[in-house]
Amino acid sequence: MIGATVSFLRDAIPQQAVANAMRERGHRWSQSTVWAIEKGERRLLLSEAADLAEILDVSVEALLKRPDEIGLQSEIASECRSIGLLYNEAIWTMHELSAAQDVLQRYLDDAERKGIRLTLVTEATIHNVKKMTSRQALEEAEDLKDLGNQDRPRTREDFDAMRKLDRG
C-alpha cells in the first residue's frame, strides 16, 4: 500500500528526481529504488520515510494512507482554498458596493441641498441601486442555489447573462 501511495504522491515528479533528492539527504537511492518501492518490491525504511515525505511535501502519516484517501483529502483541501478565495472576493466586493453606495448618497444629498430635481429615469435607477444591499445579494445567491441544475449559471459569464435577461 505504501508503494501505491508513494506513486500517487509523487505524481508528476520524475522517479529520478526523487532518487536524486534522497541521495542529497544521504540515502543510497536510484531511480530503480523508487520504482521498486512503488511496486512493493522494496520496503520503505523508517529512516527514509521522513526525508521522502519532505521531498513529496507531505507528512510521514500521509505515506501510510491509501491513495484514494489522500486524493479525497487533497480535493477537499483544494475546494476549501477555492471557497476561501471566493469568500475574500465576496467581502471585498461587498465593501466596494458599500463604498459606492456611500458616494451615491453624498451625490444625492448634494443634489437635494442644491435643489436639483432628478428625472424619473434617474429616480428609478436610484431606487434599484438602493435596493442592492448585502442582505439582498445573499438572498439572490440563495435563490441561485435553489435553481435546478440546468438553470443554474456555471460561470461568471453565465451569471452576468442571466442577470441581463432578468433585468431586460
Side-chain angles (χ1 to χ4, degrees):
M1 183 174 72
I2 290 176
T5 301
V6 168
S7 178
F8 178 82
L9 291 171
R10 182 178 58 77
D11 190 33
I13 303 170
Q15 290 179 339
Q16 188 61 55
V18 172
N20 293 345
M22 287 297 283
R23 270 198 311 281
E24 288 172 7
R25 288 167 172 78
H27 302 284
R28 297 181 67 187
W29 276 37
S30 65
Q31 179 272 325
S32 62
T33 308
V34 178
W35 181 90
I37 288 171
E38 290 180 359
K39 298 301 174 206
E41 295 180 8
R42 181 191 182 278
R43 294 175 190 253
L44 177 65
L45 302 176
L46 185 56
S47 60
E48 300 167 328
D51 289 330
L52 181 59
E54 185 178 316
I55 291 164
L56 299 176
D57 196 27
V58 297
S59 67
V60 172
E61 181 183 291
L63 296 174
L64 303 175
K65 296 183 184 286
R66 294 185 327 265
D68 63 328
E69 185 179 348
I70 293 169
L72 182 58
Q73 288 183 12
S74 175
E75 292 297 323
I76 290 169
S78 175
E79 198 60 32
C80 286
R81 283 189 297 276
S82 295
I83 289 169
L85 291 172
L86 289 169
Y87 183 79
N88 289 340
E89 182 180 336
I91 290 171
W92 182 251
T93 300
M94 296 313 294
H95 168 73
E96 288 178 318
L97 171 64
S98 177
Q101 286 176 324
D102 290 346
V103 169
L104 172 63
Q105 190 59 54
R106 284 197 301 274
Y107 287 146
L108 292 172
D109 293 345
D110 193 33
E112 186 178 328
R113 269 194 313 281
K114 293 178 179 180
I116 297 173
R117 190 162 189 278
L118 303 175
T119 66
L120 291 176
V121 172
T122 303
E123 287 178 358
T125 302
I126 292 167
H127 175 73
N128 288 336
V129 167
K130 283 188 167 186
K131 289 190 325 185
M132 294 177 189
T133 64
S134 56
R135 181 179 309 253
Q136 184 172 356
L138 289 173
E139 288 171 1
E140 288 189 36
E142 284 300 315
D143 290 346
L144 284 176
K145 264 174 76 174
D146 294 339
L147 289 175
N149 281 339
Q150 61 198 30
D151 296 331
R152 186 178 306 158
R154 300 266 184 240
T155 65
R156 188 174 297 253
E157 290 80 20
D158 293 344
F159 174 75
D160 290 342
M162 184 186 84
R163 296 278 293 164
K164 280 182 186 175
L165 287 175
D166 286 347
R167 288 188 213 138

